[in-house]
Amino acid sequence: MNLEALPKFYAPKSPKLSDDAPATSNDALSVTDVMAAQGMTQNRASFGFSAFLGKLGISITEKEKAIALLSDYALSRCDRVPALRKLSAEIKPKVIRILAVYAFEDYSRSASTTRTCDCCNGEGFIDAEVFSMKTHTPGKNKEFVKMSLHMGVKDIKPSAYEVRRQVREINRVLCHQCKGKKVVSSSCNDCHGRGKAVNRELTAKQGVPVFTDCKRCGGNGYARMPSTEALEAIRLLTDAISLDTWKKSVKKFYDDLIEKFEVEEAWAEEQLRRVTK
């Protein structure tokens, strides 16, 4: 059994409206067996198991636990980075916490992940400058038109006495990025989350569609979170880490934290397979 099969045990199953007999194989795992296996896996690989449950949104508590465990791991190794070692004892834990939070957000991102629209800040509408034509009838002409119509003159054209001018206004319009949904998808715009795209050169040579890894997302199917977002959050706390320092040393440490989540998840899956084989 692998970790990807666990989420279905956290949601009620739909009713089976048929007369088919359920599976009665001896090697089939019951819910009790799965819960026992989960407890053993959590005991052997707590870090990775909590990260996996937090990534799927099954448990917020497990998410916070995974971030806390990564923060402890990062604190024990941050002194290897000169820029982090020079931070004060008060600022350092806060900076490490920010790195751990953003590392988890990058680790848990997928093609189905949604994020708040940056264009409208989650409102669905934006203030846009629009130009419209306004019709204005000067006072004397307006009175002349009314008087003429009152006297029975029907061939007079009010439009001849109207003045049209262009007016600049600020209106609330639908956000063009999220189309009013308030959130946008993290899936790649080229491959739409599949991770594969048509290679036009090979397709033209062979005469049949040839799919290769998407060049925009590297085959992931989604766009990774820019690492500079973590730097911007840190810069709100302290100016000790510049952009050059981030690129030279801190970013490598940040990438290692993301990889730590993946390593721990792989270890948790290995433990789950051992207890369920």
Side-chain angles (χ1 to χ4, degrees):
M1 182 179 184
N2 52 22
L3 288 175
E4 294 181 355
L6 279 179
K8 64 181 180 181
F9 292 96
Y10 287 87
K13 296 182 179 180
S14 59
K16 187 177 181 181
L17 305 178
S18 68
D19 57 354
D20 295 337
T24 57
S25 175
N26 294 330
D27 57 354
L29 295 175
S30 64
V31 177
T32 304
D33 297 333
V34 173
M35 294 299 104
Q38 174 181 309
M40 296 176 65
T41 304
Q42 195 167 18
N43 183 48
R44 297 181 180 182
S46 178
F47 193 165
F49 196 79
S50 297
F52 176 77
L53 295 182
K55 178 176 69 172
L56 297 183
I58 295 177
S59 174
I60 299 179
T61 304
E62 295 296 337
K63 172 184 174 180
E64 293 297 329
K65 180 180 178 181
I67 294 176
L69 290 173
L70 184 66
S71 298
D72 295 340
Y73 170 83
L75 276 174
S76 64
R77 287 165 174 77
C78 64
D79 289 341
R80 301 176 183 178
V81 182
L84 298 178
R85 184 173 61 247
K86 295 178 182 179
L87 296 176
S88 63
E90 181 181 358
I91 297 297
K92 185 185 296 185
K94 297 179 181 179
V95 171
I96 294 301
R97 172 73 181 185
I98 293 175
L99 291 176
V101 170
Y102 277 88
F104 181 85
E105 293 299 327
D106 188 277
Y107 153 77
S108 60
R109 178 170 288 195
S110 65
S112 61
T113 304
T114 58
R115 65 182 187 277
T116 303
C117 179
D118 299 330
C119 182
C120 63
N121 294 323
E123 295 182 2
F125 294 87
I126 58 175
D127 294 330
E129 187 179 48
V130 297
F131 292 89
S132 59
M133 298 300 296
K134 297 293 184 180
T135 302
H136 173 66
T137 304
K140 293 183 179 180
N141 294 335
K142 188 175 182 179
E143 294 296 331
F144 173 75
V145 171
K146 288 183 177 180
M147 182 177 65
S148 300
L149 294 175
H150 180 71
M151 294 175 62
V153 181
K154 299 182 179 180
D155 59 345
I156 189 171
K157 298 181 179 179
S159 59
Y161 301 92
E162 294 176 347
V163 178
R164 297 177 64 84
R165 59 192 179 92
Q166 194 176 48
V167 180
R168 184 178 63 181
E169 299 177 330
I170 303 297
N171 292 339
R172 297 281 287 176
V173 298
L174 197 68
C175 178
H176 64 277
Q177 184 170 345
C178 66
K179 303 297 187 297
K181 296 179 180 179
K182 302 182 180 180
V183 294
V184 293
S185 175
S186 299
S187 61
C188 178
N189 293 329
D190 287 356
C191 65
H192 303 288
R194 294 187 295 267
K196 299 290 183 180
V198 177
N199 190 313
R200 295 185 178 181
E201 296 181 0
L202 296 178
T203 299
K205 291 180 181 180
Q206 299 185 17
V208 294
V210 178
F211 293 88
T212 57
D213 289 342
C214 178
K215 295 182 179 180
R216 179 184 291 270
C217 64
N220 293 325
Y222 59 92
R224 293 189 59 182
M225 178 181 296
S227 62
T228 51
E229 292 189 10
L231 174 61
E232 293 175 359
I234 294 175
R235 294 295 296 273
L236 296 176
L237 183 63
T238 178
D239 295 332
I241 301 177
S242 63
L243 180 60
D244 292 336
T245 304
W246 173 265
K247 292 181 178 179
K248 291 179 181 179
S249 58
V250 183
K251 185 180 182 301
K252 176 63 170 58
F253 182 75
Y254 171 73
D255 292 338
D256 291 341
L257 295 182
I258 300 175
E259 186 178 356
K260 178 65 175 176
F261 274 126
E262 297 173 354
V263 171
E264 292 296 334
E265 180 183 332
W267 174 245
E269 183 163 6
E270 176 64 22
Q271 296 304 311
L272 181 62
R273 288 179 178 176
R274 289 183 180 181
V275 300
T276 56
K277 67 179 180 179

